[in-house]
Amino acid sequence: MHSQPSVFRINQSGYATGLPVTAAVLGDGPVILKNAAGETLRSIDYDTPQTDPASADKVALVNLGVLAEGNYVLECGNASRQLTVCSSPWNTVTHTLIKGLYYQRCGCGLLPEHAGVYAHPPCHTAPAQEWTDQSVSRRITGGWHDAGDYGKYVAPGAVTVAHLLYTWKLFPQGCGDDLNIPETGNGLPDILNEARFELEWILQMQRSDGSFHHKLTKSHFAAFIMPQDDLEQEYLMPVCWCATADAAACLALAFRVYHSFDEPFANRMLLAAKHAWTWLQAHPDFVPFMNPEGVRTGWYGGRSDISNRFWAACELFASTGEDAYRLAAEKLYTTNLNLTEFGWMEVGGLGALCCLTDLKDHAGDVLYNRLKEDFLRRSEEALTLSHDSGYGTSIAPDRYIWGSILPVMSHAMAMIINTILTGRQDMRDAALLQWHYALGMNAMDLCFVTGFGENTVLHPHHRPSGADGIEAPVPGLISGGPNKCFCYPQTKEKLRPDTPPAKYFLDETPSADTNEIAIYWNSPAVFVGAYFNSPS
Ligand code: 9MR
Ligand code: ZN
């Protein structure tokens, strides 16, 4: 990975003018800020480093305030580290995180003019069989490979698309429109072009009764081969309650986003969303998804479909104005919904986004006033977690789960929404610390986005990156990060048992449990990046 971790942990993509510059210091003694010419600008006051419960590092945050554009040096004793401040430091990384999804495209070739050395021929183009009736075949094309594997899953895909669509609705200027993807320049913003690639696939995953297949995968994960070499039979796996609700929500949201660009496409999506809702109404009793006997690909099986149905009802109400959906959402709403979760397991946060940023006063008392109160309380908890961490990272030590980057980015999203609602700068500043975490201000001294940072993830668990014969991994993919909650025996063999949670990480290709990438980890990072990348 890299030699000795530095005494200073910084955002390795740089810092922005106009926003507070924060670094973490693991040393003792005064911290000096110098300019590029080596002249001392000032000595920085900071709190005595304390032991961070998640990493066991003795660390303190050093707030340098707002700095003018330029290169700086931080010094502490003999140690020093350079940092840069400029007006748009996160433009490229944010755009590349969106483009990271393009590299996950399935069913089409990636051409050299868009993908450079990562080009490859079309993959997974053969018809899929229905798992439950293998005499039935359907040819379904497109969609993104979910993660380091080549499976395609409806619920995670719907959540990823929703992150992108809300990013565009809220921070269009942070997204860029020149990603060099096949559709660039067609009049539709590129982030919407990329999201549409997945939406077209989601639409094909609907059955004639309105329900959605859970996933389109083989019975087992492929070896570490290129996608075009993965030629074994793919299957349409059984119907899933959560996937049907998430697809309904995402398609209803997409109706509003694409309406002014392509009305027939938007209408097609709303129709599919309503059809899915009708199926859900006719099937009120939740059946958890279980992998059928003999299937070992991703589970993604939620323990309840309440947050999913809630999110769908909110989006359908927002898109149709029909009271039946509002009433359904109100009925499903409880304070138990976790409104600061934006992942595939809990989608309450996406329902909250709809109510708080789209419906606003139109949501009515329950879905606006009550929900807002609950949301503000939950985001306050995220802020407290950040204050309790030596690096300002908004998760508890026992939340370094598989894909810990998701709760970190989810809390950043919640804090950003809080800032939008309240104007609170402390929330914005704490959200910024989560972005810094992703880009290097962490216990690993590692930038978790491939292709960025002086110390960066080099061996993500990502089949194309492992099989393409090119040293550098596919760029713009975010690693799931440290995981000490649910890890493989081979990871436990390599890391000492007393390794702290925030350091339970291996930059190794076989480490799916700590170093995989996933579309729904990229997309919340896109939301956070686009916010901080927007002109203020
Ligand atoms: O993101 C998922 C994580 O929350 C689970 O703990 C883990 C194990 O079940 O699975 C993760 O999802 C993987 C999926 O099952 C298959 N594709 C790769 C995903 C990312 O690792
Ligand atoms: Zn493919």
Side-chain angles (χ1 to χ4, degrees), residues 104-108 120-125 142-145 150-152 227-228 230 234:
Q104 296 294 98
R105 287 191 187 192
C106 179
C108 60
H120 66 72
C123 55
H124 304 110
T125 51
W144 298 310
H145 301 140
Y150 296 133
K152 285 165 285 176
Q228 68 273 18
D230 182 27
E234 287 188 302

Side-chain angles (χ1 to χ4, degrees), residues 145-153 156 215 217 221 291 296-301 344-345 401-404 406 461 463 480 483 486 488 511-521:
H145 301 140
D146 176 60
D149 63 317
Y150 296 133
K152 285 165 285 176
Y153 306 79
K215 58 182 173 179
T217 71
F221 292 121
N291 263 336
R296 290 198 297 278
T297 49
W299 169 60
Y300 290 129
W344 59 267
M345 179 83 97
I401 53 167
W402 188 315
S404 54
L406 178 62
H461 183 91
R463 281 170 176 72
N483 162 29
F486 175 38
Y488 288 147
S511 186
D513 48 344
T514 74
N515 199 22
E516 189 156 354
I517 64 94
I519 53 172
Y520 50 89
W521 298 335

